[in-house]
């Protein structure tokens, strides 16, 4: 053990230890997120099955808990079929870009008191930027597949995402008005006395609906409608590339749910500031709230039909954008004069 | 007017959620834990084919070829010759179970209740050759499943 103590006490170890610690933190975050994404697929199948009066996966492992692992192994072992005249480089880079932007945004999300990977002062701006970058992955996938259905699916999906991002930005600005800072930990701490979902209920409901549109979930599912477009921009992908798209979409779902809890549901704060509830660590509150929001997203998928593409665009531009801007003006007025 | 109120308060989505919760929490699942538990099939279930015999052991089929003619998928192949004792019997009776559509028309057409569709659906094979049933296999099936087949025919007889 002497060599161990010799290394720790030497001068150059103190120099490189911060970098090693950084790498360990990054690896821990990525592994935890991948596990959460895999078990989100399990949760989705179980909830859909409960609504349909059947049991979900219950063969592999107790309650089907090993099912995501088997799914992952199956996807890894399949062949990645590259279409004949597809642009190979872009074809293979598109899922990577999708997945990386979904994971990179987790760098600023606080899951507990001071438990954030990097506490930057423009957290919200960083999140908006990363989700806008995600559109590139979808466009690249549709274009490089060299198939007309994939192209149509990716065009529709990119148009949908950028239209709903506008309303999302205005709603985030509405929340920032009440807080005064872009730092995500400050946003959570500003909700100590009253969560923003009570003060800004219409904004919270509208934000939740917009997160459904941002992640291509039902009822805004047309770009990857499984019956009509045969999963849109995904159609030419198989094997590990498809797994990356799939994981990217579910990681985006968890990311959007975390953003919703931080902005509206008080992040890692307990329900009331009573003694007993304060003893439960903040992480537990955060996870519980995110799981409730994810279950709501999954339930929305199981009960609602799909919007047609022109209805989707009409909603985004003619209804959600004016309502968000109007609500922003009302909140600004109330904060200034009341 | 009321339409706008209902839209902004998301009333229809809440009604849908109420229905989803009712199904999730108050109803029993209808999944059958196959293969440890099996679902109940009706008496008229059309499964694997079998050639039956009379009580004294004589095979019923008289090579009239009505089943071969009526089969929509044309999977039955029959060749016949007089047997040594002069009666009319088949020498070849093949059913291609990989092409059969299990419509039951052969069973309806047979005048002597020779070819029947039994209740068996668990006869998976590992390659296609095992699914091309010939006369011996069908007769064997018949002997194995005779008790079931007789009972089913008895129950269903008033309705035929």
């Amino acid at each position: 053990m002497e060599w161990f103590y010799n290394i720790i006490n030497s001068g150059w170890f103190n120099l490189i230890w911060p970098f090693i610690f950084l790498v360990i933190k990054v690896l821990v975050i990525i592994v935890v997120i991948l596990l959460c994404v895999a078990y989100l697929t399990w949760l989705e199948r179980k909830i859909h099955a409960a609504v349909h009066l059947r049991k979900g996966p219950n063969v592999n492992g107790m309650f089907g808990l090993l099912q995501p692992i088997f799914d992952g192994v199956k996807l890894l072992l399949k062949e990645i079929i590259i279409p004949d005249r597809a642009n190979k480089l872009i074809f293979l880079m598109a899922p990577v870009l999708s997945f990386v932007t979904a994971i990179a945004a987790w760098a600023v999300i606080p899951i507990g008191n001071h438990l954030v990977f990097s506490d930057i002062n423009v957290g919200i701006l960083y999140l908006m930027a990363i989700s806008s970058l995600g559109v590139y992955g979808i466009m690249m996938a549709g274009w490089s597949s060299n198939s007309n259905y994939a192209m149509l699916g990716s065009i529709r999906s990119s148009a949908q995402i950028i239209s709903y991002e506008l309303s999302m930005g205005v709603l985030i600005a509405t929340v920032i008005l009440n807080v005064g800072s872009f730092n995500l930990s400050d946003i959570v701490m500003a909700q100590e006395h009253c969560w923003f979902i009570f003060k800004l209920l219409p904004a919270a409901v509208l934000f939740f609906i917009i997160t459904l549109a941002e992640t291509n979930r039902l009822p805004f599912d047309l770009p990857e409608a499984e019956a009509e477009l045969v999963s849109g921009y995904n159609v030419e992908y198989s094997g590990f590339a498809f797994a990356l798209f799939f994981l990217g979409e579910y990681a985006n779902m968890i990311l959007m749910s975390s953003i919703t809890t931080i902005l509206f549901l008080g992040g890692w704060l307990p329900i009331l500031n009573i003694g007993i509830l304060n003893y439960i660590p903040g992480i537990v509150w955060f996870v519980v709230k995110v799981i409730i929001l994810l279950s709501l997203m999954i339930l929305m998928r199981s009960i609602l039909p799909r919007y047609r593409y022109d209805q989707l665009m009409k909603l985004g531009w003619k209804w959600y954008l004016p309502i968000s801007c109007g609500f922003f003006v009302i909140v600004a007025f109330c904060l200034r004069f009341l | 007017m009321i339409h706008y109120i209902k839209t902004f308060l998301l009333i229809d989505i809440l009604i849908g959620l109420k229905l989803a919760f009712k199904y999730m929490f108050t109803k029993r699942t209808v999944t059958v834990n196959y293969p440890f538990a099996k679902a109940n099939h009706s008496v008229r279930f059309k499964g694997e084919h079998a050639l039956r015999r009379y009580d004294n052991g004589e095979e019923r089929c008289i090579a009239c070829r009505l089943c071969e003619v009526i089969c929509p998928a044309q999977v039955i192949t029959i060749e016949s010759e007089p047997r040594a004792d002069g009666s009319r019997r088949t020498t070849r009776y093949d059913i291609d179970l990989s092409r059969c559509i299990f419509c039951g028309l052969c069973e309806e057409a047979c005048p002597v209740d020779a070819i029947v569709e039994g209740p068996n659906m668990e006869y998976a094979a590992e390659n296609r050759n095992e699914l091309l049933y010939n006369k011996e296999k069908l007769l064997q099936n018949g002997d194995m499943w005779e008790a079931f087949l007789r009972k089913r025919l008895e129950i269903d007889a008033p309705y035929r």
Side-chain angles (χ1 to χ4, degrees):
Chain A
M1 285 301 283
E2 272 213 15
W3 56 271
F4 190 61
Y5 290 121
N6 280 340
I7 292 183
I8 293 188
N9 289 332
S10 66
W12 58 266
F13 186 77
N14 284 336
L15 234 78
I16 65 169
W17 172 242
F19 298 101
I20 299 183
F21 191 47
L22 208 69
V23 170
I24 294 179
K25 272 201 281 191
V26 166
L27 282 174
V28 164
I29 289 185
I30 292 186
V31 166
V32 166
I33 291 176
L34 285 179
L35 277 177
C36 289
V37 164
Y39 281 94
L40 180 61
T41 59
W42 174 86
L43 183 69
E44 166 158 19
R45 290 172 76 171
K46 281 297 218 186
I47 292 184
H48 280 320
V51 174
H52 300 165
L53 286 189
R54 47 183 181 89
K55 301 183 192 162
N58 61 350
V59 170
N60 296 316
M62 163 150 284
F63 297 118
L65 283 171
L66 290 180
Q67 182 74 34
I69 302 182
F70 284 109
D71 279 342
V73 170
K74 174 204 87 162
L75 280 172
L76 274 173
L77 293 177
K78 284 197 181 212
E79 173 196 354
I80 302 183
I81 301 176
I82 305 185
D84 191 24
R85 274 170 303 188
N87 194 334
K88 266 195 202 149
L89 179 63
I90 303 186
F91 189 81
L92 293 172
M93 279 300 113
V96 171
L97 184 58
S98 243
F99 186 63
V100 161
T101 54
I103 301 276
W106 278 91
V108 294
I109 306 256
I111 56 179
N113 203 348
H114 292 306
L115 277 178
V116 55
F117 181 69
S118 92
D119 199 10
I120 57 180
N121 264 338
V122 286
I124 282 288
L125 218 53
Y126 175 84
L127 284 173
M128 293 288 304
I130 295 281
S131 57
S132 301
L133 272 185
V135 182
Y136 274 112
I138 298 176
M139 278 203 279
M140 284 161 64
W143 176 256
S144 64
S145 295
N146 199 28
S147 141
N148 39 5
Y149 293 114
M151 185 73 197
L152 281 174
S154 92
I155 290 179
R156 287 177 170 180
S157 183
S158 345
Q160 172 188 322
I161 291 186
I162 61 177
S163 329
Y164 284 83
E165 252 170 17
L166 287 168
S167 314
M168 191 161 90
V170 175
L171 287 172
I172 291 181
T174 311
V175 168
I176 305 288
L177 275 181
N178 293 49
V179 173
S181 143
F182 277 177
N183 191 343
L184 283 163
S185 308
D186 284 350
I187 298 180
V188 173
M189 290 314 291
Q191 299 179 54
E192 264 189 298
H193 301 292
C194 178
W195 290 355
F196 285 151
I197 192 174
F198 301 117
K199 286 199 225 172
L200 304 168
L201 182 63
V205 170
L206 200 54
F207 194 82
F208 178 73
I209 300 178
I210 291 179
T211 59
L212 287 178
E214 285 289 312
T215 54
N216 283 344
R217 295 282 289 181
L218 269 153
F220 304 103
D221 195 340
L222 200 59
E224 56 171 51
E226 266 147 23
E228 280 106 31
L229 277 181
V230 196
S231 69
Y233 57 88
N234 272 341
V235 67
E236 299 286 345
Y237 284 89
S238 56
F240 194 55
F242 177 72
L244 279 180
F245 263 125
F246 205 62
L247 292 179
E249 176 183 332
Y250 280 81
N252 233 344
M253 260 175 81
I254 308 185
L255 177 71
M256 287 291 166
S257 302
S258 328
I259 298 179
T260 315
T261 66
I262 290 176
L263 287 176
F264 293 102
L265 285 178
W268 37 262
L269 292 169
I271 295 187
L272 301 164
N273 218 343
I274 320 178
I276 294 192
L277 295 175
N278 267 341
Y279 281 122
I280 305 180
I283 304 184
V284 173
W285 286 110
F286 188 81
V287 167
V288 164
K289 290 173 198 174
V290 168
I291 290 184
I292 291 179
L293 275 179
L294 286 171
S295 315
L296 208 58
M297 283 174 97
I298 296 175
L299 273 173
M300 289 288 146
R301 180 178 179 181
S302 65
I303 62 178
L304 292 173
R306 184 177 290 140
Y307 272 117
R308 212 173 53 225
Y309 185 61
D310 61 318
Q311 291 170 337
L312 216 155
M313 284 287 129
K314 187 190 291 193
L315 265 183
W317 290 94
K318 285 185 172 180
W319 288 103
Y320 290 168
L321 192 56
I323 294 180
S324 337
C325 294
F327 195 66
F328 179 79
V329 168
I330 294 177
V331 167
F333 183 80
C334 292
L335 280 177
R336 172 73 177 84
F337 295 114
L338 298 178
Chain B
M1 187 58 208
I2 194 84
H3 169 75
Y4 280 110
I5 297 182
K6 277 196 187 167
T7 313
F8 279 108
L9 292 179
L10 302 177
I11 298 285
D12 35 2
I13 299 185
L14 291 175
I15 294 180
L17 268 179
K18 186 178 88 147
L19 190 72
F21 283 131
K22 182 175 89 157
Y23 269 69
M24 269 172 80
F25 294 122
T26 65
K27 297 205 187 227
R28 198 154 279 282
T29 62
V30 293
T31 312
V32 169
N33 193 8
Y34 190 89
F36 305 111
K38 299 195 206 264
N40 292 329
H41 290 147
S42 122
V43 177
R44 303 177 185 177
F45 183 78
K46 300 192 280 244
E48 193 185 16
H49 297 261
L51 271 176
R52 289 180 65 220
R53 294 176 188 271
Y54 286 108
D55 285 335
N56 60 4
E58 177 66 65
E59 48 176 328
R60 284 186 182 235
C61 178
I62 52 170
C64 67
R65 291 190 169 82
L66 279 172
C67 54
E68 186 181 12
V69 158
I70 194 103
C71 178
Q74 295 172 355
V75 299
I76 303 185
T77 313
I78 295 180
E79 278 168 20
S80 67
E81 260 183 18
R83 207 167 51 180
D85 59 355
S87 62
R88 171 183 174 149
R89 291 284 179 257
T90 56
T91 54
R92 183 170 161 226
Y93 189 111
D94 296 339
I95 297 189
D96 185 357
L97 265 179
S98 65
R99 294 273 174 264
C100 173
I101 63 175
F102 299 98
C103 58
L105 285 176
C106 54
E107 180 176 359
E108 279 182 40
C110 183
V112 294
D113 277 342
I115 183 73
V116 291
E117 290 220 49
N120 182 27
M121 53 168 192
E122 293 153 343
Y123 56 89
E126 287 183 5
N127 52 21
R128 210 176 145 251
N129 290 331
E130 294 179 36
L131 278 180
L132 309 176
Y133 283 17
N134 58 5
K135 180 172 174 179
E136 279 114 33
K137 174 84 174 112
L138 286 169
L139 273 178
Q140 230 177 17
N141 262 358
D143 297 331
M144 250 196 320
W145 290 93
E146 180 57 36
F148 283 96
L149 296 171
R150 176 184 311 222
K151 188 75 186 155
R152 294 167 94 222
L153 285 175
E154 251 178 56
I155 300 179
D156 211 24
Y159 306 103
R160 292 203 184 185

